[in-house]
Amino acid sequence: MLKFNEEEILSNMRAALALRPEMERILDQVEHEGIRNVCWLGIGGTWASCMQAVVLMKERSAREVFALNAAEYNTTGDRRVGKGTFIVISSVTGTTEEMITAVRKSQEAGAKVLGFVNKVDTPLADMVDWCLTAQQNEQLKFFMVADYLMHLEGVFPDYEKCYQQIDTFVPEGIVAVEKSADDFGRSFAEKHKADALHYFVGAGTLYGATYSYAMCYWEEMHWRRTKSIHSAEFFHGMLEIIDEDTPVTVFIAEDSQRELGLRVKRFLEHYNRNYTIIDTADYPLEGLDPAYRSRISHMIMHAVTNRIDAHMSDLNQHDMSLRRYYRTVKY
Amino acid sequence: MLKFNEEEILSNMRAALALRPEMERILDQVEHEGIRNVCWLGIGGTWASCMQAVVLMKERSAREVFALNAAEYNTTGDRRVGKGTFIVISSVTGTTEEMITAVRKSQEAGAKVLGFVNKVDTPLADMVDWCLTAQQNEQLKFFMVADYLMHLEGVFPDYEKCYQQIDTFVPEGIVAVEKSADDFGRSFAEKHKADALHYFVGAGTLYGATYSYAMCYWEEMHWRRTKSIHSAEFFHGMLEIIDEDTPVTVFIAEDSQRELGLRVKRFLEHYNRNYTIIDTADYPLEGLDPAYRSRISHMIMHAVTNRIDAHMSDLNQHDMSLRRYYRTVKY
């Protein structure tokens, strides 16, 4: 299978899950010292992941939880960030300049920062109050933190059972999803590889994925034009530019906002003939209770879009690691 | 001047400003009863305005302040909304279905709702705890509430002086801005009226305007394709699809996030030849202290984009009140 390293996927996912005991010890300590509010801090792709973690928590938690864009924080500030603020970040490189500034500013204000930083001996890895390192799976790491915080709050009594199932079944389950999505990925890439503009629509625990798949994958890595929109917002403006042949892809999760995506699907069935629905419910994952599937919708979606990426990149002969501007030229 | 009714603009703006004494009495009462948190609730265009009010407050206020999308609240919920939550909404029609559901749900949870509803005897006007009615100027009304809340909190000591100047100088000042922007509006519309895809970039107290101008004006009213992006996020993906001829417009305000927009401007100066900068600083407004201009950046921008709309609609012979789907067909 094209660009598919099963062993690497499995070992990365298991390494991320293996961070859980240490993460729990850190959160026990933070909770003991007192949490006034929880802040997910990011920019670009990590900002997208922050938005998803907030949706997950907002439904269940009575804590004050918010997502903060690093560049906004560096300029506008946020007076809610201070002593008692528990911040979570993630970084692949450990060097993103807006994040370095924001972490420093938040710590000066009295906040404590947990960082999933994939490279040790980098500025972000050195700055954060606690650093956990494992490759890939940013969203899984964020959900692990969110879920344990909710466990500590007493609003996720199933936590142990849920993560026992995730530990046991999800790594191989996600590999199976990716394999089963390969044919779809190829035909989608063949059909849409040269679209002048592709629309991505999504909601809930997949809104961040919708936003970042459009921006961080198609725009940044494939150099293809996109617009992403929230499934609810689709009906408040964007729908008017939908013609019969407008290319639209809808991401649908098995979470509280599922109905918002299904509504877009029903609209497109009537007024469009060039849409694709990627519904995580179409991908079984053995061993996991249906009630917990909302927690891994993002992983199923990522496994599916990985197959699109592999074939798009191959068909367009476009190396996804190429950048024209980002970290390449000065601006 | 095309589609320009000076008397109507002036009387609408004065009517919005004239709501202030009654609004202050309401907020005095709410503050006296105790505010646990402040929630700006909206969808589509009003959601965009909510985001701007949050940016304005976040910089200065220590209150817990957040924007909530009505459809997200109706599905995912938000446990922070309850007794002690002060909610602000705005509605032109008084009938938006997601808003009706969300207001009811929030009130059942114990929240109190102030509504700027432009039509009396409508569901939303009847449901809200306090209803204030004046046409247009939604963002001004929201900023009036935000500013008085900050005055009550003691973080806006200049409140009286600022609004005395706004009352006295802004209505005629904005009319003068709109007149002075007419030539620009015509030439912009002539150049971009048939763009296959136009990018709008903005930040801070204009990010909502950027989002809603792209979606609620170009997509919904002109049926033209757009993408909007936050000026900071522009550098985390979208920049890679910028060619020399990509049509991009940057909205720049005189607020805390001004630098984020100027950075996009500098990038475009190097790598693009089809960009437009709309900088509110280019439009003088007599009588208003420079320190208060950040509060009316949105009004200046709206006056400028009004001129684009008038000419776009005329040149494309496209009636901006036409809808193909919204409130026209079932879905």
Side-chain angles (χ1 to χ4, degrees):
Chain A
M1 213 162 90
L2 200 63
K3 291 187 196 166
F4 183 72
N5 186 333
E6 181 167 341
E7 279 319 305
E8 195 179 291
I9 296 172
L10 284 172
S11 70
N12 279 336
M13 215 174 299
R14 287 183 183 132
L17 288 166
L19 296 175
R20 208 151 55 78
E22 195 178 342
M23 176 208 82
E24 291 179 357
R25 275 193 299 276
I26 294 165
L27 296 193
D28 287 342
Q29 180 198 331
V30 172
E31 178 81 335
H32 178 75
E33 289 168 6
I35 298 175
R36 189 168 56 88
N37 51 34
V38 178
C39 169
W40 303 85
L41 177 70
I43 194 159
T46 61
W47 163 244
S49 295
C50 291
M51 291 192 277
Q52 302 197 162
V54 169
V55 171
L56 180 73
M57 290 192 76
K58 198 149 66 170
E59 186 180 352
R60 301 160 180 95
S61 174
R63 295 183 195 266
E64 182 188 356
V65 177
F66 55 96
L68 192 54
N69 184 291
E72 287 213 301
Y73 179 57
N74 296 340
T75 49
T76 294
D78 189 327
R79 287 190 55 197
R80 301 297 294 170
V81 174
K83 201 168 150 42
T85 299
F86 177 60
I87 294 182
V88 190
I89 70 159
S90 171
S91 178
V92 173
T93 61
T95 60
T96 309
E97 65 179 282
E98 292 97 330
M99 289 299 291
I100 293 171
T101 306
V103 166
R104 185 180 302 118
K105 179 174 171 150
S106 73
Q107 287 174 323
E108 283 169 4
K112 296 281 187 184
V113 183
L114 166 64
F116 293 100
V117 185
N118 298 7
K119 274 202 187 124
V120 293
D121 295 328
T122 56
L124 284 170
D126 292 343
M127 291 169 77
V128 294
D129 297 276
W130 306 274
C131 183
L132 294 173
T133 295
Q135 306 313 303
Q136 306 279 341
N137 299 292
E138 169 177 289
Q139 191 65 47
L140 170 62
K141 297 167 189 164
F142 276 11
F143 274 35
M144 281 160 48
V145 171
D147 280 330
Y148 193 66
L149 284 171
M150 292 195 285
H151 170 69
L152 290 175
E153 191 187 346
V155 295
F156 190 11
D158 279 11
Y159 171 80
E160 291 295 350
K161 185 180 165 201
C162 172
Y163 274 89
Q164 204 174 26
Q165 290 186 10
I166 289 177
D167 285 347
T168 312
F169 298 108
V170 164
E172 305 230 330
I174 289 296
V175 162
V177 166
E178 192 157 340
K179 285 179 181 170
S180 75
D182 190 50
D183 286 345
F184 163 77
R186 186 188 306 109
S187 62
F188 185 96
E190 281 165 356
K191 186 171 176 189
H192 296 293
K193 65 181 191 293
D195 283 354
L197 170 58
H198 195 100
Y199 288 95
F200 291 98
V201 186
T205 55
L206 288 185
Y207 174 65
T210 311
Y211 176 87
S212 80
Y213 189 60
M215 186 172 79
C216 304
Y217 287 78
W218 277 48
E219 291 180 348
E220 182 168 352
M221 300 188 197
H222 294 295
W223 303 1
R224 307 301 317 172
R225 287 173 182 176
T226 66
K227 167 158 181 152
S228 60
I229 191 81
H230 192 284
S231 306
E233 292 285 287
F234 173 87
F235 291 104
H236 290 271
M238 205 206 92
L239 80 169
E240 299 294 344
I241 56 79
I242 296 294
D243 293 325
E244 206 173 66
D245 56 355
T246 314
V248 188
T249 296
V250 189
F251 286 5
I252 302 182
E254 295 149 90
D255 63 4
S256 57
Q257 293 181 36
R258 178 172 180 79
E259 181 48 42
L260 302 178
L262 294 176
R263 191 180 181 210
V264 179
K265 181 185 176 192
R266 288 193 299 273
F267 175 87
L268 294 171
E269 283 166 354
H270 274 88
Y271 303 108
N272 182 272
R273 289 169 193 263
N274 195 16
Y275 68 93
T276 305
I277 306 295
I278 308 182
D279 184 345
T280 62
D282 293 338
Y283 295 89
L285 205 148
E286 223 176 310
L288 193 70
D289 283 2
Y292 306 144
R293 286 183 57 96
S294 68
R295 286 187 159 72
I296 56 133
S297 285
H298 59 88
M299 298 174 80
I300 292 178
M301 189 57 67
H302 188 61
V304 176
T305 58
N306 274 347
R307 299 326 302 156
I308 297 173
D309 291 334
H311 292 288
M312 279 268 288
S313 166
D314 185 57
L315 290 165
N316 286 336
Q317 285 293 295
H318 181 92
D319 177 350
M320 289 172 69
S321 70
L322 269 184
R323 299 289 178 277
R324 306 159 88 169
Y325 308 111
Y326 189 63
R327 297 185 188 227
T328 301
V329 298
K330 282 255 179 212
Y331 46 82
Chain B
M1 213 162 88
L2 200 64
K3 293 186 197 168
F4 182 72
N5 186 332
E6 180 166 341
E7 278 319 305
E8 194 180 289
I9 295 172
L10 285 172
S11 70
N12 279 337
M13 215 173 300
R14 287 182 183 132
L17 289 165
L19 296 175
R20 208 151 55 78
E22 196 180 341
M23 176 208 80
E24 291 179 357
R25 276 193 300 275
I26 295 164
L27 297 192
D28 287 342
Q29 180 197 330
V30 172
E31 178 82 335
H32 179 74
E33 288 167 8
I35 297 175
R36 190 168 55 89
N37 51 34
V38 177
C39 168
W40 303 86
L41 177 69
I43 193 158
T46 60
W47 163 244
S49 294
C50 290
M51 292 192 278
Q52 300 196 163
V54 169
V55 171
L56 180 72
M57 290 191 75
K58 198 149 67 171
E59 185 179 353
R60 301 161 180 94
S61 174
R63 296 183 196 265
E64 183 189 356
V65 178
F66 54 97
L68 191 55
N69 185 291
E72 286 212 300
Y73 179 56
N74 297 339
T75 49
T76 295
D78 189 328
R79 288 189 57 196
R80 301 297 294 171
V81 174
K83 201 168 149 41
T85 300
F86 177 60
I87 294 181
V88 190
I89 70 160
S90 171
S91 178
V92 173
T93 62
T95 62
T96 309
E97 65 179 283
E98 292 97 331
M99 290 299 291
I100 293 170
T101 306
V103 166
R104 185 180 302 119
K105 179 174 171 147
S106 73
Q107 288 174 323
E108 283 168 5
K112 297 281 187 184
V113 184
L114 166 64
F116 294 100
V117 185
N118 298 6
K119 274 200 186 125
V120 292
D121 296 328
T122 55
L124 284 170
D126 292 343
M127 291 170 76
V128 295
D129 297 276
W130 305 274
C131 183
L132 295 173
T133 296
Q135 307 312 304
Q136 307 278 341
N137 300 292
E138 169 177 289
Q139 191 64 47
L140 171 62
K141 297 167 190 165
F142 276 11
F143 274 35
M144 280 160 48
V145 171
D147 280 330
Y148 193 65
L149 284 171
M150 293 194 285
H151 170 70
L152 289 174
E153 191 187 345
V155 295
F156 190 11
D158 278 13
Y159 171 80
E160 291 295 351
K161 185 180 167 201
C162 173
Y163 274 88
Q164 204 174 28
Q165 290 185 11
I166 288 176
D167 285 347
T168 311
F169 298 108
V170 165
E172 306 231 330
I174 289 296
V175 161
V177 167
E178 192 158 340
K179 285 178 181 170
S180 75
D182 190 51
D183 286 345
F184 162 77
R186 187 189 305 109
S187 62
F188 185 95
E190 282 165 355
K191 187 171 176 190
H192 296 292
K193 66 180 190 294
D195 282 355
L197 170 60
H198 195 100
Y199 289 94
F200 290 97
V201 187
T205 55
L206 287 185
Y207 173 67
T210 311
Y211 175 87
S212 80
Y213 189 59
M215 187 172 79
C216 304
Y217 288 77
W218 277 48
E219 291 180 348
E220 182 169 351
M221 301 187 195
H222 295 294
W223 303 0
R224 307 302 315 172
R225 289 176 179 172
T226 66
K227 167 158 181 153
S228 60
I229 191 81
H230 192 284
S231 306
E233 291 285 288
F234 174 87
F235 291 105
H236 290 271
M238 205 205 92
L239 80 169
E240 298 295 343
I241 56 81
I242 297 293
D243 294 324
E244 205 172 69
D245 56 355
T246 313
V248 188
T249 296
V250 189
F251 286 6
I252 303 182
E254 295 150 271
D255 62 6
S256 58
Q257 293 181 36
R258 180 174 180 77
E259 181 49 43
L260 302 179
L262 294 176
R263 191 180 180 210
V264 179
K265 181 185 177 192
R266 288 193 299 272
F267 175 87
L268 293 171
E269 283 168 353
H270 275 88
Y271 303 108
N272 182 272
R273 289 169 192 263
N274 196 15
Y275 69 91
T276 305
I277 306 296
I278 309 182
D279 184 346
T280 62
D282 292 339
Y283 296 90
L285 204 148
E286 222 176 310
L288 193 70
D289 281 3
Y292 306 145
R293 287 183 56 96
S294 68
R295 286 186 159 72
I296 56 132
S297 284
H298 60 88
M299 299 175 78
I300 292 177
M301 189 57 65
H302 187 62
V304 175
T305 58
N306 274 346
R307 300 325 302 155
I308 296 173
D309 291 333
H311 292 288
M312 278 269 288
S313 166
D314 185 55
L315 291 166
N316 287 337
Q317 286 294 294
H318 181 92
D319 177 350
M320 289 173 69
S321 69
L322 268 185
R323 299 289 177 275
R324 305 159 88 170
Y325 307 111
Y326 189 63
R327 297 184 187 228
T328 301
V329 296
K330 281 257 177 212
Y331 46 81

